[in-house]
Amino acid sequence: MSSTDTPTEEAVEEVPAPDTTREAMLEQLTGELGGALVGSHLEPGIDLTIRVTADAWATTAAFLKTGMGFGYFNFLSAIDWKPSPFGRDMDSQVDIALDGTEPKEPEEMTWGLAGGETRFQVFARVNDVVKHRGITIKADVPDDSLTVPTWVGTYAGANWHEREAWEMFGITFAEHPGLRHIYLPGEFEGNPMRKDYPLLARRVKPWPGIVDVEAMPGDDDDEDDGESSDS
């Protein structure tokens, strides 16, 4: 064996196999939506996420259902990308108590798959149960209106999800048939899932309940046994 035949241990970068199914989905959506499709993320063999403009939010849903066969509505929700103005203050009380860790400064706003430009985004997932395909759709919610079109006319199952997103994040779904509270009293003020909503209960009693440490089974029994033996 000559020196040129000696095997090497150089790492060979693994190239993912082409995902022709999702690539075809993205190509079809790009052709249909054009400039309204403003971002995408395709992870071969795993998933496809697209981001569309707020104006195209409802028309994208309609095309996915009637034009591409995504008849199953999975879920719809919202994201507040704003870092908490409280830092980790409310969530780090346990860390501070245990090891003296100081609260961290809020970080710059960043976005997940397919990017983003606004504080709030809506996102949803639909499936094609015949061809076993799924896709996640996102849209930036305009900061000056916090309004996107409803999906209820296309996917009736979006009704409850949009009510929840409206209640928790304060995002309005235009032409929704009945935005009203699900969890909170009708007079409740604020949107608890926003990052800047002050969860004062966590200041009164640090989360996740550092003062709620309960004795393990057997601890009380030992004390009882000791008292019994002294009596």
Side-chain angles (χ1 to χ4, degrees):
M1 178 180 294
S2 66
S3 60
T4 57
D5 296 326
T6 303
T8 64
E9 296 182 355
E10 292 181 359
V12 178
E13 184 176 353
E14 186 174 347
V15 178
D19 190 335
T20 55
T21 298
R22 294 182 176 85
E23 289 174 356
M25 289 163 52
L26 181 57
E27 182 178 358
Q28 187 174 1
L29 286 162
T30 302
E32 174 68 20
L33 300 173
L37 198 160
V38 293
S40 65
H41 177 85
L42 195 161
E43 192 163 357
I46 297 179
D47 205 2
L48 171 63
T49 299
I50 63 169
R51 181 164 64 93
V52 300
T53 63
D55 290 340
W57 177 242
T59 54
T60 301
F63 180 69
L64 285 167
K65 183 175 183 179
T66 61
M68 296 183 66
F70 288 86
Y72 178 78
F73 172 81
N74 198 321
F75 70 84
L76 184 151
S77 190
I79 308 171
D80 181 0
W81 292 105
K82 179 184 178 68
S84 171
F86 308 108
R88 292 192 63 242
D89 178 63
M90 290 188 295
D91 291 326
S92 64
Q93 296 303 312
V94 174
D95 299 337
I96 296 172
L98 294 179
D99 58 22
T101 302
E102 293 295 330
K104 297 180 180 178
E105 293 296 325
E107 301 175 352
E108 295 292 329
M109 189 158 58
T110 59
W111 294 269
L113 302 180
E117 296 180 352
T118 58
R119 172 181 172 180
F120 294 100
Q121 287 183 323
V122 287
F123 71 110
R125 185 166 181 82
V126 294
N127 293 82
D128 175 355
V129 297
V130 176
K131 297 182 179 178
H132 306 287
R133 303 180 299 173
I135 183 171
T136 301
I137 309 95
K138 301 169 58 178
D140 297 340
V141 181
D143 292 324
D144 57 355
S145 71
L146 296 185
T147 301
V148 295
T150 181
W151 272 25
V152 173
T154 300
Y155 294 105
N159 187 317
W160 182 92
H161 296 253
E162 291 181 353
R163 287 173 56 192
E164 183 184 51
W166 166 77
E167 182 177 43
M168 292 294 157
F169 292 93
I171 295 171
T172 297
F173 293 86
E175 298 186 11
H176 186 284
L179 287 177
R180 59 188 187 279
H181 288 281
I182 298 175
Y183 308 108
L184 304 172
E187 300 79 13
F188 190 91
E189 296 182 2
N191 307 104
M193 290 300 291
R194 290 188 177 189
K195 294 292 182 59
D196 54 0
Y197 186 85
L199 298 176
L200 296 180
R202 295 189 179 183
R203 292 176 177 270
V204 175
K205 187 171 70 172
W207 186 260
I210 191 172
V211 298
D212 289 344
V213 177
E214 299 179 357
M216 296 295 291
D219 291 350
D220 291 340
D221 295 341
D222 294 340
E223 294 178 0
D224 293 342
D225 291 344
E227 293 176 358
S228 299
S229 62
D230 293 338
S231 61

